[in-house]
Amino acid sequence: VQLQASGGGLVQAGGSLRLSCAASERNRRSGVMGWFRQAPGKEREFVAAYRWSVGTAAYATSVTGRFSISKDNAKKMVYLQMNSLKPEDTAVYSCAVTTRNLIYSALFSRTEYEYWGQGTQVTVSS
């Protein structure tokens, strides 16, 4: 499974960006696609995830109400819409996939995802 996140860039605080990640055919029916981010000097942290089998998304507390996941089955894409961006959202954002159907509590753990893309830089200026 090859993944590539795209759509990052430089934006002012309060602005918006939409990240994209290609979804494989197999993953669209089961498994989870997650978004993680890593800021300089910090550990990679969970941002959001979408469970294909149940059609639901989960979000980190820090982004709830500002970020949302959507998908386009025809284009086989998953999007992370990021609104009301803050300087603390600055990080490299990566999409990740597991083919397993994770329970809710497992969504937040980066070790549950087998496949990772290279990431895209998001920089939010104050």
Side-chain angles (χ1 to χ4, degrees):
V1 177
Q2 292 185 339
L3 302 171
Q4 179 65 51
S6 60
L10 174 64
V11 64
Q12 289 188 334
S16 299
L17 283 173
R18 189 179 75 163
L19 305 184
S20 303
C21 188
S24 66
E25 180 65 30
R26 176 181 179 183
N27 186 245
R28 289 197 300 122
R29 296 193 180 97
S30 64
V32 179
M33 178 172 282
W35 287 94
F36 289 77
R37 66 186 182 187
Q38 187 168 21
K42 295 186 177 181
E43 291 189 354
R44 182 175 288 176
E45 65 175 3
F46 172 82
V47 176
Y50 183 80
R51 290 188 290 180
W52 292 103
S53 61
V54 297
T56 59
Y59 301 93
T61 302
S62 59
V63 306
T64 298
R66 300 188 297 122
F67 292 12
S68 63
I69 284 182
S70 63
K71 59 184 178 65
D72 185 327
N73 288 340
K75 296 182 179 180
K76 300 181 182 180
M77 297 292 289
V78 174
Y79 304 100
L80 181 67
Q81 179 67 43
M82 305 186 296
N83 299 326
S84 301
L85 283 161
K86 304 174 182 180
E88 50 264 43
D89 294 319
T90 295
V92 175
Y93 284 70
S94 301
C95 56
V97 159
T98 175
T99 57
R100 297 172 294 128
N101 292 320
L102 302 178
I103 60 174
Y104 182 80
S105 60
L107 295 174
F108 303 87
S109 174
R110 60 182 183 269
T111 61
E112 297 289 348
Y113 297 81
E114 303 100 86
Y115 306 100
W116 290 81
Q118 287 190 338
T120 184
Q121 177 70 46
V122 171
T123 302
V124 184
S125 63
S126 57

